[in-house]
Amino acid sequence: MSARDRILSRLQHDVIASDNEIDLSVHLDKQFDTQEKLERFTEKLESVHGEIIRCSENDWTQTLARVVDAEQIENLTLGLGALPDQAADAVSCAVRRYDADIEDWKGQLFSDVQAGFTTCRGGIAETGSLLLWPSIDEPRLLSLVPPIHIALLFAKDIANTFTEVLCTQNWQDGMPTNALMISGPSKSADIAQVLAYGVHGPKRLIVLLAE
Amino acid sequence: MNTAVNFTDAAKTALKNPTLRFNFRQAMDSLRERRAAQFPDQDELERARDLAGAIRRRSLNHLAEKLVQLESQCQKNGIQVHWAETPAQANEIILEVCQRHDAKHVIKGKSMVSEECHLNDYLAKHDIEALESDLGEYIVQIDGETPSHIIMPAIHKNKKEIAELFAEKIPGVEYTEDVDTLTAIARKVLRSKFETAAVGISGVNFAVAETGTLCLVENEGNGRMTTTVPPVHIAITGIEKVVPSLSDVAPLYSVLTRSATGQHATTYFNMISSPRREGERDGPQEVHLVLLDNGRSKIYQDERMQDTLKCIRCGACMNHCPVYTRIGGHAYGTVYPGPIGQILNPQQYGIDQQGEMLSACSLNGACGEACPVRIPIPSLISELRHEATRNDQAGTVYGQGALRKLHEAVVWGSWKWIHRTPWAYKAMGLAATRLRRLVPSAAMGPWTKTRVKPALAEKTLHELMKERES
Ligand code: SF4
């Protein structure tokens, strides 16, 4: 018998205890209206050092350009696709596309890139979180390695709770390689419980919240 | 694997160390406050615990079936699944993968299960350097220590101690107590390691059977680095971590982060379902999942003890434990300290090896009240104390009866007889009250070592009640 079969045989039992009802209402009852969603999202994300810049769906590219100038970002890395294209056109700094395998430019990504731009799949009001599904166009490390992560989130994509998202959006029918929930910049309190930002991931998370 | 330690001696030493006591006290007080702030509504808290407990119970009810489903879903997604009955087997599996990829150094995300395996030492013996990347784990690793808390590994150290450590152990670093600078130093050292490591090794918080998804909870981003940058990712987890469906993870995550560190959410919730797919630009080419038993299936077989496996490793029980708060994590001498350790270690390694810590509990119940998945920790401790002293060989736990002491058995035997024999009970009462001054302090054992002898009453309760009635 293999280790697998031996372990599984020890987990067999004759009577399967009946399952308690799974009552998700404690999460699903949390319903916010549009205004509350925005307020709650903002409050929660800002409480963990996330920076939110509100803009409109029509002028987010100009807002991005302003942020890039104001923060003196000299180079910005973006993925591919319509929105990243618009972003690339709008900014005045040097632009690089994440269009090669990581093996081909790991050193550069790790040491030269100052900021990364990504879109978001959605957000969560309850916890002030971003939902990202990295893809061929917007790879996983784009939101992790650059010291500044600029994320574009459309206000209409903000859901109430994570439970609601997982119960209604059918993620289980086709999970991506990697799905992420991001709530703030990278941080640690491992040294004497003092918060420090930018431990391994970005030191700053700037969210362009487009309404 | 884990050697028997003298818990009592270690606890005494810890109690005598004022710095250690101060560090823990401060940290535990603040963790408890932060948790409380996340649950302002008692009713919501109880409902969230009911829900999380029900999800974990359902996962355990169908554990075998869900593990098989997890395996087949992972395989369908391209994740290679390995089963290990013992830490030794898990280590071999991981070593084999590392050697196949010619790894000289590997980078690790936080994993308590890998601590159970003493994986770093094992790899070092085979000339593979395993570097911890979680800041707390990194700190204890460069000091040659083990974690003292399952969530905050370096909680026993203060700023000054860490500043000294960095200045001593990291070449070219000058003494500084500035936390941002210290963090930046660690970031720099570890970044180059992420870039060059051949293999990344991580733990798993929840493994979803329905989709074959591995979920990791973290704040630093080292978990994402570990699972994304190196060409190979090996995840190791206990077999109990499986949950049936994807929607189960949201409620568990919600109580986990709030109970553990009092955060409404951690910075990252990382869900991994496959290796790099065709056309993708980054992510590991190979993902392995190692499922470790190490005594869990034995715990599973005993219905009284099965609740032990509901644990989601939030650490709230230790933050709320008055004993842990005073002696810290190292005194336990085990991978899992505090209340969860008290119920887990003796079952995994035998009461004869790690049963001593069962006595370090006043059954005050704080851990059970804090536990987000409603594990009745105090009852389990009582149950294990019974196992530890039974002499009928009818128990299920390894090392049962190992802590039975003849004099204790005689005392409790007499106690039982006295309470069932009216004349003896009366005589005992009279003797205790009338001869109260004669009871020597020493007869009260360790109690009077640091306390004055309690004054016994002049008359028994029965006598007092009678007087009142007449
Ligand atoms: S026993 Fe409960 S409180 Fe303790 S670590 Fe496990 S889940 Fe958390």
Side-chain angles (χ1 to χ4, degrees), chain B residues 114-132:
Chain B
S114 78
E115 300 280 344
E116 257 179 69
C117 298
H118 301 282
L119 176 66
N120 296 358
D121 290 346
Y122 178 82
L123 290 177
K125 276 195 204 105
H126 293 86
D127 298 319
I128 298 173
E129 180 207 31
L131 192 69
E132 295 288 348

Side-chain angles (χ1 to χ4, degrees), chain A residues 119-179:
Chain A
T119 57
C120 297
R121 180 192 162 93
I124 292 165
E126 188 196 17
T127 50
S129 311
L130 306 175
L131 295 170
L132 271 74
W133 276 24
S135 60
I136 294 176
D137 285 348
E138 290 191 319
R140 295 162 73 169
L141 293 175
L142 189 52
S143 60
L144 182 66
V145 176
I148 302 175
H149 174 201
I150 304 175
L152 171 66
L153 172 67
F154 291 104
K156 61 175 176 1
D157 295 333
I158 299 180
N160 293 293
T161 58
F162 190 32
T163 307
E164 178 188 88
V165 168
L166 293 185
C167 287
T168 57
Q169 296 187 2
N170 297 321
W171 287 24
Q172 69 276 9
D173 295 342
M175 282 295 274
T177 303
N178 184 214

Side-chain angles (χ1 to χ4, degrees), chain B residues 7 10-17 19-25 27-28 146-150 152-153 155-157 318-319 321-334 336-339 342 357 360:
Chain B
F7 172 77
K12 278 184 190 156
T13 313
L15 285 173
K16 281 186 205 140
N17 181 339
T19 316
L20 192 77
R21 286 186 65 166
F22 180 80
N23 295 351
F24 272 102
R25 177 91 234 183
M28 296 306 113
T146 53
S148 61
H149 189 283
I150 61 171
M152 314 211 92
I155 198 90
H156 55 289
K157 287 191 185 308
M318 49 201 79
N319 302 346
C321 175
V323 177
Y324 177 92
T325 302
R326 284 166 179 79
I327 65 174
H330 285 148
Y332 295 80
T334 48
Y336 301 100
Q342 282 169 291
M357 65 184 74

Side-chain angles (χ1 to χ4, degrees), chain B residues 47-184:
Chain B
R47 284 169 65 207
R49 292 174 72 212
D50 283 340
L51 171 58
I55 291 174
R56 287 301 297 142
R57 171 95 324 261
R58 195 184 53 166
S59 310
L60 293 180
N61 286 349
H62 309 278
L63 186 54
E65 177 200 331
K66 292 301 155 191
L67 279 167
V68 171
Q69 190 187 5
L70 173 72
E71 177 186 48
S72 72
Q73 283 304 327
C74 283
Q75 286 169 343
K76 225 197 260 165
N77 300 347
I79 297 176
Q80 302 176 43
V81 181
H82 312 262
W83 302 71
E85 288 186 275
T86 60
Q89 284 175 13
N91 286 344
E92 273 170 39
I93 292 165
I94 293 173
L95 177 67
E96 194 273 322
V97 175
C98 291
Q99 286 177 336
R100 187 148 39 83
H101 291 275
D102 215 9
K104 289 285 165 283
H105 83 258
V106 302
I107 193 92
K108 283 186 68 205
K110 199 168 147 27
S111 155
M112 290 309 294
V113 175
S114 78
E115 300 280 344
E116 257 179 69
C117 298
H118 301 282
L119 176 66
N120 296 358
D121 290 346
Y122 178 82
L123 290 177
K125 276 195 204 105
H126 293 86
D127 298 319
I128 298 173
E129 180 207 31
L131 192 69
E132 295 288 348
S133 62
D134 172 89
L135 184 55
E137 291 274 354
Y138 174 73
I139 290 167
V140 297
Q141 187 184 32
I142 60 175
D143 205 12
E145 288 187 322
T146 53
S148 61
H149 189 283
I150 61 171
I151 300 288
M152 314 211 92
I155 198 90
H156 55 289
K157 287 191 185 308
N158 58 32
K159 234 187 278 182
K160 192 166 159 280
E161 291 168 311
I162 295 169
E164 280 163 5
L165 179 70
F166 273 36
E168 185 196 325
K169 297 280 161 97
I170 308 174
V173 167
E174 277 176 30
Y175 182 93
T176 169
E177 285 184 26
D178 181 62
V179 173
D180 283 329
T181 313
L182 290 168
T183 305

Side-chain angles (χ1 to χ4, degrees), chain B residues 150 311-317 340 367 370-373 375 377:
Chain B
I150 61 171
C311 178
I312 53 171
R313 302 282 189 269
C314 71
C317 53
I340 179 61
C367 53
C371 178
V373 290
I375 299 176
I377 308 172

